[in-house]
Amino acid sequence: MYETLTWEVDADGVATLALHRPDALNAFDLTMARELEQVFLTDARDDAVRAVVVTGAGRAFCAGMDLSADGNVFGLDESLRPTPEQFRASYDEEPFDTGVRDTGGKVTLAIHALPKPVIAAINGPAVGIGATMTLAMDIRMASEKARIGFVFGRLGIVPEACSSWFLPRIVGIQQALEWVYSAEILSAEQALAGRLVRSVHAPEDLLPAAQELARSFVKDRSPVALGLAKQMLYRNSAAAEPLEAHLTDSLAMYWTSIGDGKEGVAAFREKRTPQFTSRASELPRLT
């Protein structure tokens, strides 16, 4: 189905997505970019999928951009000279959509928009886009063999894949700047100390632990409540004032109170497991 990915969904709705170019250390190329965007916009949005765990095949998570391609290795059109105004007005139209837009950013925007838990199981080296793509995932877990690097300074380029938005929110501005300035490769323990990853595991334990965590997030949980909570936490943590949170909280509480909330309250009163019937594909609008 995919050239650079494998995709499996278990009986609990936990999908395992593996970057699958093991001979190239799962280096990110334009085919992988298109396929990752597609999987998060289509397969992962199937209501049978409740959560997604992302890992790498072989000994690497993702060794960064494949720099062996001819021409502009990022797939960009070097003949264009867009002004900021032109690009912002037409960024999703040709020629800017394929000629200027960062492919990694398209992937992370698709991950971020998925109204379901996404967990990165970083099993080995994850550098450049291999590191920044995980920032749009909700939880990062690492193998003891993981090595993570925001190495853009070594190549004369800048952090991409929306990482200038995600990274400071995850680890704080001082830590984010230090890692970007230094462009050093971090060990799993350094990433843990900097709060980039949630936990560090023996290599053989990483993927099962990530899958079990994903399962604990979705078993006996309302898909709509989970999806709305994800939207609210990301959106409201960047809001200018708490009134914005109050307005979205109020609408979310209203719609869940007349939806899965009725079943949740009834199950609590009757001391039984709830049987939620909502779908993540049917989230009410909050804005």
Side-chain angles (χ1 to χ4, degrees), residues 18-29:
L19 312 182
H20 198 269
R21 298 185 68 207
D23 293 341
L25 299 180
N26 302 321
F28 184 92
D29 63 5

Side-chain angles (χ1 to χ4, degrees), residues 80-94:
L80 299 174
R81 294 295 183 270
T83 66
E85 294 79 12
Q86 290 170 332
F87 181 60
R88 288 175 181 274
S90 306
Y91 71 90
D92 57 350
E93 301 172 3
E94 294 301 340

Side-chain angles (χ1 to χ4, degrees), residues 25-43:
L25 299 180
N26 302 321
F28 184 92
D29 63 5
L30 298 181
T31 300
M32 182 180 286
R34 287 191 294 269
E35 292 186 342
L36 279 169
E37 186 179 10
Q38 180 181 346
V39 78
F40 278 100
L41 293 177
T42 56
D43 300 75

Side-chain angles (χ1 to χ4, degrees), residues 13 48 72 78 82 121 131 147 170 191 224 228 241 243-244 279 282:
N72 187 296
E78 297 184 5
R147 297 294 182 267
I170 296 168
V224 162
L228 291 177
E241 56 183 43
L243 175 60
E244 291 298 323
R279 301 183 177 198
E282 299 174 346

Side-chain angles (χ1 to χ4, degrees), residues 73-255:
V73 296
F74 304 102
L76 306 178
D77 184 346
E78 297 184 5
S79 70
L80 299 174
R81 294 295 183 270
T83 66
E85 294 79 12
Q86 290 170 332
F87 181 60
R88 288 175 181 274
S90 306
Y91 71 90
D92 57 350
E93 301 172 3
E94 294 301 340
F96 298 150
D97 184 52
T98 56
V100 177
R101 286 186 72 188
D102 165 42
T103 54
K106 290 184 179 182
V107 171
T108 54
L109 288 172
I111 295 170
H112 178 62
L114 184 71
K116 303 172 185 182
V118 182
I119 298 174
I122 306 172
N123 57 299
V127 299
I129 181 62
T132 55
M133 78 165 72
T134 71
L135 303 180
M137 301 175 196
D138 305 312
I139 306 284
R140 284 154 298 283
M141 303 166 69
S143 161
E144 294 166 343
K145 294 184 176 181
R147 297 294 182 267
I148 301 169
F150 302 97
V151 297
F152 309 99
R154 296 178 182 268
L155 299 175
I157 56 175
V158 296
E160 36 56 276
C162 307
S163 58
S164 59
W165 192 90
F166 286 109
L167 186 59
R169 284 169 169 77
I170 296 168
V171 303
I173 187 66
Q174 178 173 261
Q175 185 67 87
L177 285 168
E178 179 181 344
W179 284 346
V180 170
Y181 288 160
S182 71
E184 297 296 337
I185 303 296
L186 308 172
S187 68
E189 290 301 330
Q190 287 173 308
L192 179 64
R195 302 185 69 180
L196 178 64
V197 301
R198 167 193 178 271
S199 50
V200 175
H201 303 261
E204 65 275 14
D205 295 336
L206 173 65
L207 187 57
Q211 292 167 331
E212 186 55 36
L213 183 64
R215 195 168 292 111
S216 75
F217 289 165
V218 300
K219 187 175 177 59
D220 301 329
R221 301 293 187 271
S222 160
V224 162
L226 277 179
L228 291 177
K230 177 172 178 174
Q231 288 184 356
M232 291 159 60
L233 287 168
Y234 276 113
R235 179 182 293 126
N236 294 337
S237 66
E241 56 183 43
L243 175 60
E244 291 298 323
H246 172 63
L247 296 176
T248 54
D249 293 353
S250 297
L251 282 174
M253 279 296 296
Y254 174 78
W255 289 115

